[in-house]
């Protein structure tokens, strides 16, 4: 008698890291040859749980080392109170729970939320990672999403037509400590939209279709020149995480050798304890060199691999690429090519980063930054500042955007000469840089014009550093004008609107003789004169036009 499992097959679809272009994980998809077993599984929790077990076993037969994503309906978890058979299947397959992400999918309607949250807690306690699937195109309540605190949120590609919603979800993910992925990406335009909106992962037909064999290579469109620049503190280590080759701390040298010789793409193996915390790091070349020496196999094959390993180098998931380089710099030169383990807040390994990936990305970042620097002051240009303005708007920050220039600069150049004018500009730029602290960013947008992005509480010392100083060019006294717009969350929607609010303040500041400073608030009329005396009534400020009105 035939069983329904006889006609069931599984396909693997890559989850792609949008920064590195590598395969971060494999989602296992049930592909029945007849019938709609998924519809039955939605109604039958026992069947759904059985499918999850079979998915893990199918992956084990393909001998893939990549992390796995296993689909389970929310109702299944709430009804079964966890997936004990799945944990056993993962163990039997020689995998570790933290290598498996449970993709919890809709429907959520009528699912007992407390029971679901308890089941999620049980899975997390066992070491599984949690993904909220079908967000944005399903029925997942926002409160439930935050209570689940998933490690990954998967959005439907249809939301890419609403980039503000995707950016808002990225902000929420950052608060939850989760990664953001987009499913169903089919075109290069969708891929570019996912990247610009801040998604770190994606999957879809564009990269690779679901296949019976795990894909080793995927297509990644070339990054567009207008792609968002990395954060000022450096790219996040999350963008470079590769799957880690993990073995128990008790693994023998023979087991490590078998893994390395059977997987040429693996550069090293991490030995982890029962909780997934790295205890030793085995470097591929050094290990195989020891094993290939005279009597090497006879001496080491049955002995613990830990004896041929080194203390692991680790960084947290919130580290930046520059912090990883600091970790790599510590220790002997022979370890510079070692993988660095990325660990979660419990110290469990979630992947590795390779030095080559970091150096390549940071070099590209520096080239891009250098290309945008003003040759006179070596300060960033307007693109860097406006890009950061948009990021702060998307993240819901309160910020102050200021414009600064030299009064009557053409007359200064004509009277003192361009060399004296250039030196004045360099001096003003240095003063702004020296006064910048915390989140303050200074840009030179050309000529005598500077842009300063700061927190409102940092405005007074910054203004004092340039307005209270004595400036001159070729012995001629010079004054500066400063205009500032303070933007609260929701008061502006992008850097263009912030700049439009700043324009009338700039005009008001220039109408004041001597050193001047005018401050306004986005969405409110009028302005405040903080330096100088206004001689004419020049209303300034900006109002935000409501949607649908003109």
């Amino acid at each position: 008698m035939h069983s329904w499992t006889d006609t069931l097959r599984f396909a693997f679809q890559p989850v792609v890291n949008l920064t590195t272009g590598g395969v971060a994980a494999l989602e296992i998809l049930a592909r029945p040859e007849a019938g709609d077993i998924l519809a039955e599984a939605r109604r039958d929790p026992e069947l759904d749980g059985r499918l999850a077990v079979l998915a893990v076993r199918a992956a084990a037969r393909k001998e893939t080392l990549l992390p796995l994503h296993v689909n389970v309906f929310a109702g299944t978890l709430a009804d079964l109170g966890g997936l004990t058979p799945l944990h056993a299947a993962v163990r039997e397959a020689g995998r570790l729970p933290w290598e498996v992400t449970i993709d919890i999918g809709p429907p959520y309607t009528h699912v007992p939320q407390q029971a679901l949250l308890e089941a999620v807690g049980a899975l997390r306690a066992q070491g599984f990672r949690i993904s909220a699937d079908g967000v944005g195109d399903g029925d997942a309540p926002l409160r439930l999403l935050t209570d689940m605190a998933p490690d990954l949120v998967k959005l439907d590609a249809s939301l890419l037509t609403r980039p503000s919603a995707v950016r808002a979800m990225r902000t929420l993910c950052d608060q939850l400590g989760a990664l953001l992925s987009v499913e169903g990406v089919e075109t290069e335009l969708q891929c570019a939209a996912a990247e610009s909106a801040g998604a770190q992962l994606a999957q879809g037909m564009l990269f690779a279709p679901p296949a019976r064999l795990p894909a080793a290579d995927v297509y990644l469109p070339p990054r567009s020149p207008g792609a968002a620049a990395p954060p000022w503190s450096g790219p996040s280590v999350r963008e470079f995480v590769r799957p880690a080759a993990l073995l128990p701390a008790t693994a023998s040298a023979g087991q490590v050798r078998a893994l390395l010789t059977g997987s040429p793409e693996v550069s090293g193996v991490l030995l982890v304890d029962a909780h997934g915390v790295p205890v030793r790091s085995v470097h591929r070349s050094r290990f195989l060199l020891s094993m290939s020496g005279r009597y090497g196999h006879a001496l080491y094959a049955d002995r613990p691999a830990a004896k041929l390993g080194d203390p692991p180098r680790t960084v947290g998931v919130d580290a930046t690429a520059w912090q990883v380089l600091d970790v790599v710099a510590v220790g002997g030169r022979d370890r510079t090519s070692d993988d660095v383990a990325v660990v979660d807040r419990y110290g469990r390994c979630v992947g590795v980063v390779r030095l080559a990936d970091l150096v390549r990305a940071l070099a590209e970042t520096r080239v891009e930054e250098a290309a945008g620097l003003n040759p006179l002051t070596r300060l960033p240009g307007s693109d860097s500042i406006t890009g950061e303005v948009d990021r702060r708007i998307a993240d819901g920050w309160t910020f102050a955007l200021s414009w600064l220039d030299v009064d009557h600069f053409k007359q200064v150049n004509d009277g003192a000469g361009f060399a004296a004018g250039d030196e004045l500009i360099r001096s003003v730029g240095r003063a702004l840089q020296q006064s910048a602290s915390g989140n303050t960013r200074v840009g030179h947008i050309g000529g005598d014009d500077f842009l300063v992005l700061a927190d409102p509480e940092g405005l007074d010392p910054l203004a004092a550093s340039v307005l209270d100083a004595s400036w001159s060019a070729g012995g001629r006294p010079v004054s500066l004008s400063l205009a500032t717009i303070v933007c609260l969350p929701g008061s502006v929607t992008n850097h263009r609107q912030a700049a439009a609010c700043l324009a009338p303040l700039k005009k008001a500041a220039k109408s004041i003789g001597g050193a001047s400073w005018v401050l306004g608030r986005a969405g409110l009329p009028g302005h405040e004169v903080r330096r100088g005396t206004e001689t004419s009534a020049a209303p300034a400020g900006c109002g935000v036009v409501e949607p649908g009105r003109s």
Side-chain angles (χ1 to χ4, degrees):
M1 182 175 179
H2 291 290
S3 167
W4 58 268
T5 58
D6 294 336
T7 60
L8 180 65
R9 300 292 182 268
F10 288 92
F12 300 87
Q13 185 168 47
V15 179
V16 177
N17 184 314
L18 289 175
T19 299
T20 65
V23 180
L26 293 171
E27 182 174 355
I28 314 172
L29 305 168
R31 289 291 185 263
E33 293 181 0
D36 190 354
I37 197 170
L38 293 180
E40 295 180 39
R42 188 180 292 112
R43 298 187 296 268
D44 185 347
E46 294 289 347
L47 175 59
D48 193 30
R50 177 69 173 153
L51 285 176
V53 169
L54 292 175
V56 170
R57 290 176 179 168
R61 289 194 295 270
K62 302 301 182 182
E63 297 182 347
T64 177
L65 294 173
L66 288 163
L68 306 174
H69 284 237
V70 178
N71 292 288
V72 177
F73 289 112
T76 297
L77 292 181
D79 189 81
L80 298 181
L83 296 171
T84 303
L86 178 64
H87 190 274
V90 169
R91 186 171 58 249
E92 291 167 5
R95 303 300 294 263
L96 300 168
W98 44 90
E99 298 178 85
V100 179
T101 297
I102 308 298
D103 281 6
I104 304 174
Y108 292 91
T109 304
H110 308 307
V111 172
Q113 293 192 7
Q114 187 57 40
L116 174 59
L117 293 175
E118 289 175 0
V120 167
L123 288 170
R124 186 171 276 127
Q126 293 173 355
F128 291 104
R129 295 169 62 77
I130 303 298
S131 167
D133 202 351
V135 175
D137 196 39
D139 59 345
L142 188 58
R143 186 170 67 178
L144 175 62
L145 183 64
T146 56
D147 288 344
M148 286 172 58
D151 302 286
L152 176 68
V153 171
K154 288 189 173 183
L155 293 184
D156 186 84
S158 61
L159 269 186
L160 293 174
T161 59
R162 300 168 177 83
S164 58
V166 182
R167 287 194 295 268
M169 186 55 65
R170 170 60 193 270
T171 300
L172 176 60
C173 285
D174 289 343
Q175 295 295 320
L176 296 175
L179 294 175
L180 180 63
S181 180
V182 177
E183 294 185 294
V185 175
E186 297 182 350
T187 67
E188 294 192 1
L189 285 176
Q190 286 181 320
C191 181
E195 286 186 273
S196 64
Q200 295 108 333
L201 304 171
Q203 57 190 116
M205 297 294 287
L206 174 68
F207 311 106
R212 295 290 172 84
L213 293 177
D217 298 305
V218 294
Y219 171 73
L220 191 73
R223 188 178 298 273
S224 62
W232 290 91
S233 57
S236 168
V237 72
R238 294 171 184 262
E239 300 178 10
F240 306 97
V241 176
R242 291 174 175 261
L246 304 177
L247 284 176
T250 56
S252 68
Q255 290 174 299
V256 172
R257 184 177 183 274
L259 190 157
L260 291 174
T261 54
S263 307
E265 75 281 3
V266 174
S267 57
V269 176
L270 288 172
L271 305 179
V272 296
D273 66 13
H275 301 289
V277 177
V279 294
R280 299 295 281 179
S281 174
V282 179
H283 184 267
R284 180 187 188 89
S285 299
R286 294 198 300 274
F287 174 84
L288 292 179
L289 185 62
S290 298
M291 291 289 287
S292 63
R294 191 176 186 183
Y295 309 120
H297 189 272
L299 284 172
Y300 298 117
D302 297 325
R303 300 182 66 185
K307 293 184 177 296
L308 295 176
D310 299 287
R313 291 174 164 175
T314 62
V315 295
V317 292
D318 296 321
T320 66
W322 292 109
Q323 290 171 316
V324 177
L325 290 186
D326 290 340
V327 171
V328 172
V330 176
R333 293 184 179 180
D334 60 330
R335 295 200 63 192
T336 54
S337 61
D338 286 18
D339 292 342
V340 177
V342 182
V343 298
D344 63 16
R345 61 182 180 274
Y346 302 110
R348 301 180 306 200
C349 181
V350 297
V352 295
V353 291
R354 295 179 180 174
L355 180 63
D357 291 339
L358 298 180
V359 171
R360 187 183 307 112
L362 293 174
E364 291 173 356
T365 299
R366 284 293 175 255
V367 169
E368 291 173 2
E369 289 178 355
L373 296 180
N374 187 286
L376 182 61
T377 58
R378 308 304 295 168
L379 288 171
S382 61
D383 287 347
S384 295
I385 301 298
T386 56
E388 179 67 7
V389 169
D390 285 338
R391 279 189 286 276
R392 296 192 187 188
I393 291 172
D395 291 342
W397 286 25
T398 295
F399 63 89
L401 181 64
S402 299
W403 163 88
L404 176 81
D405 83 337
V406 178
D407 294 330
H408 311 298
F409 184 65
K410 184 178 185 304
Q411 297 176 19
V412 172
N413 262 349
D414 291 345
F418 70 86
D422 286 351
E423 181 54 37
L424 172 64
I425 295 302
R426 281 192 287 265
S427 298
V428 172
R430 284 194 296 269
L432 287 171
Q433 276 186 300
Q434 291 167 2
S435 64
S437 61
N439 293 316
T440 300
R441 307 293 175 231
V442 178
H444 182 193
I445 60 177
D448 62 323
D449 292 320
F450 294 87
L451 280 179
V452 183
L453 180 61
D455 295 331
E457 54 269 22
L459 287 173
D460 286 326
L462 186 143
S465 68
V466 289
L467 297 182
D468 293 346
S470 297
W471 300 100
S472 63
R476 299 166 178 259
V478 172
S479 62
L480 308 181
S481 295
L482 179 67
T484 300
I485 186 72
V486 176
C487 300
L488 299 177
S491 62
V492 292
T493 58
N494 53 48
H495 72 269
R496 295 180 183 85
Q497 196 172 68
C501 292
L502 190 56
L505 300 175
K506 172 183 176 181
K507 183 177 180 181
K510 297 299 288 184
S511 69
I512 299 174
S516 61
W517 181 18
V518 168
L519 182 144
R521 290 171 174 80
L524 298 177
H527 61 268
E528 172 188 355
V529 178
R530 292 200 166 186
R531 285 282 201 289
T533 303
E534 198 166 24
T535 56
S536 61
C542 80
V544 179
V545 178
E546 296 182 23
R549 299 188 181 185
S550 57

